[in-house]
């Protein structure tokens, strides 16, 4: 009898596995639990069982009946889930081979300006270097001739981390390790994201991009600096630009300058964008301070060089006529869509 029960149970499991729709499941239910079903027949057969075995066998049959009901209910749930999935799929009818109707992705304007500059500098023999965003105090300040407690530290409101490191406030933070990596002569640019603890408005952001550049060799002078900056900016703006230098103070260059470009909106005649001066302030720069060369392992009696810190974000604003710096980090896809690659 027990073998018979086991055989019925195993057959039920096989039948349930193969069932594909509710109608077939109803038939299985009838075939096992209906009036003449296999399990019901077993219960009827209990009469013929010797009295002393009736209780045990009766329990076994009832147990089989309970398990059969449970398994049939579970199969019903499986079929319902499969049916729902079929409905969803047929409603959405995907054809993965069709061309997309969605808009194409676009590059961020800062990425576009950065890549353009990288190409220009690369063609002038500069390498493009990558650099971490988390640096130490030495890289960001001390190696740039800004000792602790120097008032120049106030120029850059810094985000310090709990371990004493900091988010780089300027790409100049990479100067020291790049000098140590390559020695002299050296031509390198290093674009990167910078962070300052500033309150934001239309022309200030706490996160912005710069591109630092250095050229170190024998007899490098201010004329080399002017030549490279003028050539590079003429390429960026696709026309011959004029530049001028004004004195500027940065502890890591001597002399230090602010480089202005003739206003690209009015051409230099004066307009609201250049505050009627005809010039736009574009890029601080200067001749690398001997101490900075020394920190970088380069002998200042043998080599000289220039460095500049181009504001990539600022350049992108000028090139694309973006009037609010906060637009760049807003993640607003509608404004980024203007820069969709053709
Ligand atoms: N690191 C400076 C800043 O962010 C900008 C700068 C000034 C970079 C002069 C230079 C430089 O390389 O020569 O304020």
């Amino acid at each position: 009898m027990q073998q018979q029960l086991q055989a019925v149970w195993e057959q039920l499991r096989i039948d349930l596995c193969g069932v594909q729709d509710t109608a077939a499941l109803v038939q299985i239910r009838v075939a096992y639990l209906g009036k003449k079903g296999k399990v019901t027949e077993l219960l009827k057969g209990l009469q013929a069982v010797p009295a002393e075995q009736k209780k045990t066998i009766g329990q076994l049959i009832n147990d089989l009946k309970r398990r059969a009901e449970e398994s049939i209910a579970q199969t019903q749930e499986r079929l319902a889930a499969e049916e729902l999935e079929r409905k969803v799929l047929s409603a959405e009818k995907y054809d993965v081979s069709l061309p997309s109707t969605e808009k194409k992705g676009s590059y961020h304007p800062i990425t576009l300006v950065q890549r353009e500059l990288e190409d220009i500098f690369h063609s002038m023999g500069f390498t493009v270097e990558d650099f971490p965003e988390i640096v130490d105090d030495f890289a960001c300040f001390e190696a740039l001739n800004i000792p602790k407690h120097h008032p120049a530290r106030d120029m850059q409101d810094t985000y310090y981390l709990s371990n004493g490191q900091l988010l780089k406030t300027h790409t100049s933070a990479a100067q020291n390790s790049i000098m140590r990596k390559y020695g002299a002569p050296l031509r390198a640019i290093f674009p990167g994201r910078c962070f300052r603890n500033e309150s934001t408005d239309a022309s200030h952001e706490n996160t912005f991009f710069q591109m630092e550049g250095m050229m170190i060799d024998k007899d490098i002078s201010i004329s080399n600096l002017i030549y490279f900056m003028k050539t590079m900016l003429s390429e960026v703006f696709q026309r011959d630009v004029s530049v001028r230098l004004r004195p500027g103070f940065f502890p890591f260059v001597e002399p230090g300058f602010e480089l202005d470009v003739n206003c690209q909106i009015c051409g230099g005649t004066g307009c609201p964008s250049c505050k009627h001066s005809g010039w736009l302030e574009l890029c601080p720069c200067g001749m690398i301070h001997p101490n900075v060369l020394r920190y970088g392992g380069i002998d200042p009696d043998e080599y000289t060089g220039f460095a500049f810190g181009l504001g990539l974000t600022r350049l992108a604003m000028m090139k694309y006529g973006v009037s609010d710096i906060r637009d760049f980090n807003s993640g607003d896809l509608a404004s980024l869509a203007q820069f969709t690659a053709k």
Side-chain angles (χ1 to χ4, degrees):
M1 185 70 170
Q2 285 185 4
Q3 279 173 355
Q4 213 182 333
L5 290 181
Q6 187 60 22
V8 170
W9 171 244
E10 278 169 13
Q11 188 56 49
L12 173 67
R13 303 288 303 158
I14 292 167
D15 291 350
L16 288 178
C17 274
V19 78
Q20 294 297 342
D21 54 52
T22 321
L25 187 64
V26 171
Q27 278 178 15
I28 291 175
R29 166 170 262 286
V30 172
Y32 284 85
L33 300 173
K35 272 191 188 151
K36 292 188 178 158
K38 291 180 188 169
V39 179
T40 322
E41 290 298 325
L42 284 171
L43 275 170
K44 285 182 193 160
L46 205 54
Q47 290 163 347
V49 171
E52 66 278 13
Q53 292 180 11
K54 260 201 179 105
K55 194 175 169 207
T56 327
I57 303 283
Q59 273 174 356
L60 288 174
I61 300 175
N62 277 326
D63 184 49
L64 172 66
K65 190 177 172 200
R66 185 186 49 77
R67 282 185 289 144
E69 273 163 354
E70 269 174 22
S71 296
I72 290 171
Q74 279 166 9
T75 309
Q76 177 65 53
E77 279 170 25
R78 167 173 71 81
L79 290 177
E82 285 173 1
E83 175 67 7
L84 184 69
E85 200 179 318
R86 265 196 299 278
K87 273 196 187 137
V88 170
L89 283 180
S90 67
E92 290 187 1
K93 284 201 187 96
Y94 289 117
D95 181 350
V96 289
S97 63
L98 280 177
S100 165
T101 52
E102 294 294 312
K103 287 201 184 76
K104 280 188 196 162
S106 48
Y107 284 113
H108 195 280
I110 293 176
T111 308
L112 292 174
V113 172
Q114 179 179 328
R115 290 192 179 177
E116 192 179 347
L117 286 172
E118 285 174 4
D119 284 348
I120 296 168
F121 276 105
H122 199 245
S123 73
M124 296 196 287
F126 284 69
T127 59
V128 182
E129 306 295 329
D130 200 11
F131 198 69
E133 288 174 348
I134 296 176
V135 297
D136 57 19
D137 189 273
F138 177 78
C140 204
F141 299 120
E142 300 231 359
L144 292 167
N145 209 22
I146 313 176
K148 287 201 172 53
H149 314 299
H150 191 287
R153 290 205 177 198
D154 290 348
M155 287 157 69
Q156 305 187 354
D157 287 328
T158 310
Y159 287 112
Y160 286 95
L161 307 182
S162 51
N163 66 1
Q165 289 186 297
L166 46 105
L167 299 183
K168 73 170 186 260
T169 55
H170 53 175
T171 42
S172 310
Q175 284 195 8
N176 185 265
S177 74
I178 285 166
M179 282 188 283
R180 294 212 159 266
K181 185 170 168 196
Y182 294 108
L186 166 73
R187 285 182 197 199
I189 51 164
F190 21 110
R193 190 156 56 157
C194 307
F195 308 87
R196 286 190 203 169
N197 195 353
E198 305 228 11
S199 32
T200 60
D201 61 32
S203 48
H204 292 90
E205 249 293 16
N206 49 27
T207 305
F208 53 93
F209 286 78
Q210 290 186 340
M211 181 180 278
E212 190 89 1
M214 290 180 103
M215 178 171 179
I216 302 171
D217 210 329
K218 293 192 168 145
D219 302 326
I220 294 291
S221 68
I222 297 173
S223 336
N224 298 101
L225 168 63
I226 296 173
Y227 169 79
F228 271 95
M229 297 314 280
K230 193 169 152 45
T231 310
M232 181 273 292
L233 290 170
S234 300
E235 289 277 341
V236 171
F237 291 106
Q238 299 284 301
R239 66 180 88 141
D240 203 20
V241 301
S242 309
V243 295
R244 72 171 187 187
L245 294 179
R246 286 179 293 117
F249 172 71
F250 304 96
F252 33 96
V253 279
E254 179 59 37
F257 306 107
E258 292 285 356
L259 183 139
D260 297 341
V261 62
N262 62 322
C263 178
Q264 295 303 300
I265 295 160
C266 63
T269 51
C271 70
S273 293
C274 60
K275 299 195 186 96
H276 302 282
S277 70
W279 294 95
L280 290 171
E281 185 179 318
L282 191 68
C283 169
C285 54
M287 300 305 293
I288 302 170
H289 196 288
N291 285 350
V292 174
L293 289 171
R294 240 176 251 122
Y295 275 128
I298 294 173
D299 181 358
D301 292 330
E302 203 180 340
Y303 289 99
T304 49
F306 65 76
F308 59 87
L310 194 62
L312 273 188
T313 306
R314 196 177 163 76
L315 197 60
M317 285 174 83
M318 276 172 69
K319 188 166 166 138
Y320 295 111
V322 176
S323 55
D324 192 327
I325 192 171
R326 292 166 294 190
D327 286 351
F328 286 128
N329 292 344
S330 70
D332 177 5
L333 295 181
S335 61
L336 286 181
Q338 301 169 61
F339 305 99
T340 305
K342 294 281 176 313

